[in-house]
Amino acid sequence: MICSPDDLGLFWCLKMECLLLKFAVIAVGLMSYMQSAVGIRFVIDREECFSHEVPYVGDTVHVSFVVIKSETPWHYGNEGVDLVVKDSAGNQIHDFRDKTSEKFEFTVQRKGLHRFCFTNKSPYHETIDFDVLIGHFSYIDQHATDEHISPLLEQINTLEEALYNIQFEQHWLEAQTERQALVNEG
């Protein structure tokens, strides 16, 4: 027992221990929410592909990219790049053409290695800011399905995902702002 019944009375002591147990379960629930994030800025000549492991069906994958700048200061165009996303079996999930920026998400239908292939059709090298965020939530302890705790875990999951989405959005907006500043300079 964490508290002494002599100090608080047996009812309050048991109530406090129950609350501490619920908070411990919530902490375990928070640890079960896994985020896998990758951010990279790279220069592309013709084609660049990246792979990212998605461990669970049902995970949500958030993707964004922004073409920041071209290699030459006197050239600035809006040709954009192409992005093709494929799942672990090679099935095409998304296909974007001639985009200078894009932000999207999808739910994973097949776990495994997903490929993100960029193609630059411009004669100039392009700098691209690319981010991938994978969110997954699972209940590790099946005993934590008490009718009072489950709604709390769901709300915590929702809030945590919202915070990650805000960070994701901020990074994308920063890259967009950097791109716009370069456009205005040119």
Side-chain angles (χ1 to χ4, degrees):
M1 213 175 241
I2 297 171
C3 66
S4 167
D6 297 335
D7 297 335
L8 300 171
L10 184 59
F11 173 76
W12 290 108
C13 186
L14 291 174
K15 190 161 183 80
M16 189 162 74
E17 284 187 4
C18 183
L19 277 173
L20 288 173
L21 178 62
K22 285 182 180 182
F23 283 126
V25 169
I26 289 170
V28 169
L30 280 175
M31 288 186 286
S32 72
Y33 185 76
M34 301 182 319
Q35 290 285 334
S36 172
V38 174
I40 185 171
R41 185 170 285 186
F42 63 97
V43 176
I44 183 172
D45 178 20
R46 291 288 163 237
E47 184 176 59
E48 287 290 332
C49 291
F50 301 95
S51 297
H52 195 76
E53 182 72 27
V54 183
Y56 303 101
V57 171
D59 283 354
T60 302
V61 179
H62 305 268
V63 180
S64 75
F65 71 90
V66 178
V67 178
I68 302 292
K69 63 181 177 180
S70 197
E71 73 174 353
T72 59
W74 60 84
H75 168 77
Y76 194 86
N78 284 321
E79 294 90 14
V81 295
D82 299 344
L83 171 61
V84 175
V85 180
K86 293 185 178 182
D87 69 11
S88 59
N91 300 319
Q92 186 170 299
I93 297 172
H94 284 289
D95 185 0
F96 298 99
R97 300 292 170 182
D98 301 321
K99 297 285 187 172
T100 55
S101 70
E102 191 64 53
K103 183 176 55 158
F104 62 98
E105 65 183 52
F106 62 92
T107 302
V108 174
Q109 303 299 316
R110 171 177 259 127
K111 70 180 184 174
L113 209 56
H114 284 61
R115 289 185 50 87
F116 303 85
C117 289
F118 290 91
T119 303
N120 178 15
K121 295 180 279 192
S122 151
Y124 304 99
H125 290 85
E126 303 283 352
T127 301
I128 298 175
D129 187 277
F130 173 54
D131 291 295
V132 176
L133 170 74
I134 299 172
H136 174 75
F137 186 82
S138 65
Y139 293 97
I140 292 176
D141 185 1
Q142 292 301 318
H143 300 288
T145 57
D146 176 68
E147 67 270 7
H148 296 104
I149 295 175
S150 294
L152 287 174
L153 292 174
E154 290 173 20
Q155 288 301 312
I156 289 168
N157 175 41
T158 301
L159 290 171
E160 189 169 43
E161 188 164 345
L163 286 173
Y164 278 108
N165 286 339
I166 289 168
Q167 290 173 330
F168 188 78
E169 180 82 16
Q170 285 175 332
H171 188 128
W172 186 75
L173 289 171
E174 287 170 3
Q176 285 283 64
T177 302
E178 187 175 341
R179 173 183 169 72
Q180 194 60 40
L182 289 169
V183 168
N184 292 337
E185 286 176 11

